[in-house]
Amino acid sequence: MTYDLRQPFNLRVHLFILITAISLSVELFYQPYRQVGTQLLSNPELSQKFAGWHLSDDGISRVREGQVRLSNADGKRSVALSQEIILPPDVEDVVLTAQAGSSSITVGKKSWNSGRVVLVSYPEGLNKADYHRSHELFSLIGSMDWREYSELFHVYPGIDRMKLQVQLSKTSGILDVKDLQLYAAEYKDSWLFLKPVMIVAALVFLAWVFLPYAQNRSGRAGLLALGAIVLIV
């Protein structure tokens, strides 16, 4: 069986644009998970003299209306506000949100020397955090206007507690954070249906576009190169 290499080029382009537009729309505007259960943070309003929170150094210069400001003048030390969270049983994912802004945060020697909010995992029975798993909500350098950040974090098997840290890690500047929220999360049924449909549609489209070029040796080489590029993207 042979394939006609003169398939309408415009049709391929239009379908590619359509699939790309749908994918970007889902990425930008569709929330695939929802919060469940109750707030996992103790005293998320940062009131009552930071009850439930631990301050690593004397770096807080302002607290008002649930907003905390971390300041660091010399950048030689780290300033952090942290809280340990004991996870309820059977939690597989958590969603962390916060609003943050920064002022004149300098570039540190390490990539993590910045203004950050992180959620690190602790394997059961150990006191050392596992920083190799995804844990960063945001990392700010320089001056940034207020913005809301949200991220879903997976709770891996053997993780029984986490620690939330608001930190200026060996860098000078000011970090403002408010509206911290941490909830258990689960994927919506619509996403569990939509995701495989989108993947299958993309694979069928790629096969329709590239399969005709696999009939000769040079075409197969080009197909492999294009396939690699598509997988990277």
Side-chain angles (χ1 to χ4, degrees):
M1 181 178 180
T2 60
Y3 295 88
D4 183 8
L5 297 180
R6 296 172 296 178
Q7 297 176 28
F9 178 75
N10 287 340
L11 178 59
R12 300 183 193 180
V13 173
H14 291 159
L15 285 176
F16 175 75
I17 293 174
L18 177 62
I19 291 176
T20 302
I22 292 174
S23 299
L24 288 175
S25 298
V26 170
E27 175 69 22
L28 295 174
F29 304 111
Y30 178 76
Q31 183 65 271
Y33 53 84
R34 57 172 171 263
Q35 299 177 354
V36 295
T38 58
Q39 169 75 263
L40 297 178
L41 288 175
S42 173
N43 187 20
E45 299 84 8
L46 301 169
S47 60
Q48 303 170 9
K49 297 183 179 180
F50 298 106
W53 295 87
H54 173 72
L55 178 62
S56 65
D57 206 335
D58 185 19
I60 292 181
S61 60
R62 187 181 71 192
V63 181
R64 66 179 186 185
E65 298 177 358
Q67 175 182 328
V68 59
R69 166 168 287 188
L70 295 184
S71 62
N72 200 347
D74 56 21
K76 295 180 181 180
R77 58 195 174 98
S78 294
V79 178
L81 187 69
S82 62
Q83 181 177 147
E84 185 174 296
I85 301 102
I86 304 300
L87 295 172
D90 303 324
V91 172
E92 297 183 354
D93 299 282
V94 294
V95 58
L96 173 64
T97 61
Q99 293 189 44
S102 64
S103 178
S104 304
I105 297 180
T106 58
V107 176
K109 295 181 179 180
K110 304 291 184 180
S111 61
W112 57 86
N113 295 152
S114 61
R116 304 198 305 167
V117 167
V118 297
L119 184 66
V120 293
S121 302
Y122 283 81
E124 187 174 0
L126 299 180
N127 290 321
K128 185 176 181 180
D130 185 355
Y131 284 90
H132 295 92
R133 304 189 190 277
S134 175
H135 61 276
E136 188 175 85
L137 178 63
F138 64 76
S139 177
L140 301 182
I141 296 292
S143 299
M144 300 288 292
D145 292 332
W146 282 99
R147 176 187 163 188
E148 182 172 320
Y149 299 85
S150 181
E151 187 69 43
L152 184 78
F153 296 93
H154 183 62
V155 180
Y156 291 89
I159 301 298
D160 62 348
R161 58 193 174 99
M162 290 180 159
K163 179 179 286 186
L164 176 63
Q165 296 179 325
V166 181
Q167 58 181 221
L168 276 171
S169 177
K170 293 187 177 180
T171 181
S172 62
I174 295 173
L175 175 65
D176 292 307
V177 178
K178 64 181 180 180
D179 295 339
L180 286 161
Q181 298 184 51
L182 181 66
Y183 286 87
E186 63 181 15
Y187 284 100
K188 298 176 181 176
D189 293 339
S190 56
W191 174 247
L192 298 178
F193 169 79
L194 183 60
K195 182 178 180 180
V197 169
M198 292 178 61
I199 293 174
V200 170
L203 291 176
V204 170
F205 171 76
L206 292 175
W208 176 64
V209 171
F210 296 132
L211 191 58
Y213 300 97
Q215 298 178 91
N216 55 71
R217 183 173 298 177
S218 61
R220 285 193 291 270
L223 178 63
L224 289 175
L226 287 171
I229 293 173
V230 170
L231 286 175
I232 292 172
V233 173

